Amino acid sequence: MFRNKYDNDVTIWSPQGRLYQVEYAMEAVKQGMVTVGIKSQDYAVLVALCRAEGHTNDIQRKIMPIDSHLGMSIAGLTADAKQVCQYLRTECMSYRHTYEAAYPVSRLVTNLGNKMQPTTQRYDRRPYGVGMLIAGYDLKPHIYQVMPSANVMNCKAMAIGARSQSSRTYLERHLDSFLYSSKDEIICHGIQALRSSLGNDCGENIKITIALVGKEQTFMTLSDEECIKYLNMAQTLAKPDVSANESDDNLDDADNVNDDYNDDDNVHLEDSDDEEYLRRREQFSEGTDSDPGRVL
């Protein structure tokens, strides 16, 4: 990871125009455990994979509540995430004390991006090595992605962390079905997206944390028993669709029939060519045709 003198300071640009300190912070996000954020018409859901701490049985939680109407899941450095979470909690408490109302989610996330941006250009600071998915509800559900580069994006669904590309692929394929999904369905979609990033490591005893917020639903982190229930529910829904497989088999059979039909046509064409060749050969042997039409 060492790149000579161009990664000693966040204000030093490389000859290619890159800030390696920011890239290192982005790499810390890619090394974190995968987390998925997804929303429907009424709910916003966060699903995060938990990691065991050393040789103990303690589970490192990746979802942090901020206020009654929003929370966040993280991928990257936990210490930086706790500092950002403390800032967000302070802002929400100050806003509620002043205006007696919940902090608008979009304004809060914008202020967070403005706070993180100076760390990418000041010599006495370093970028936050954590990526966040912020789920909230004010007039409608929200999912925001915040990265160490201070980029803030409003998303319909997003996944960050190690091997999260597979999760994003799942989310893209099923994006149209999220809007009108029920609470249980949207949670199962989040679990399936997270499981798709695990590949062969996906077992029965994976540890996840689920949190949701929505219409008439404050931000709540589900208990371990409820997480296990939704894991089993998602595993049941993930069974292959028999009708879809049958339709695929029918399409394959139709293709095979078409191939056989084309092969028969080719055979008939070859037979007709042979008959024409024999006829012209007889004419040539009788002297009525000067060209047999084919080299013997």
Side-chain angles (χ1 to χ4, degrees), residues 83-106:
Q83 185 176 356
V84 173
C85 183
Q86 184 62 37
Y87 165 77
L88 294 177
R89 288 173 179 172
T90 303
E91 289 293 309
C92 288
M93 286 189 294
S94 176
Y95 190 93
R96 190 177 294 274
H97 176 74
T98 304
Y99 300 102
E100 297 183 355
Y103 207 129
V105 180
S106 60

Side-chain angles (χ1 to χ4, degrees), residues 11 36 50 85 115 120 140 196 200 210 296:
T11 59
V36 176
C50 298
C85 183
K115 173 183 172 58
T120 64
K140 61 181 180 179
S196 63
N200 296 330
I210 303 173
L296 297 177

Side-chain angles (χ1 to χ4, degrees), residues 3 104 140 167 184 201 214 242 247 260 263 283:
R3 298 181 184 272
K140 61 181 180 179
S167 298
D184 293 343
D201 298 335
V242 177
S247 63
D260 295 338
D263 292 340
Q283 294 177 356

Side-chain angles (χ1 to χ4, degrees), residues 259-277:
D259 292 339
D260 295 338
Y261 178 75
N262 293 331
D263 292 340
D264 293 340
D265 289 343
N266 294 332
V267 170
H268 294 321
L269 290 174
E270 291 175 359
D271 292 342
S272 62
D273 290 341
D274 290 339
E275 292 177 359
E276 178 68 19
Y277 167 70

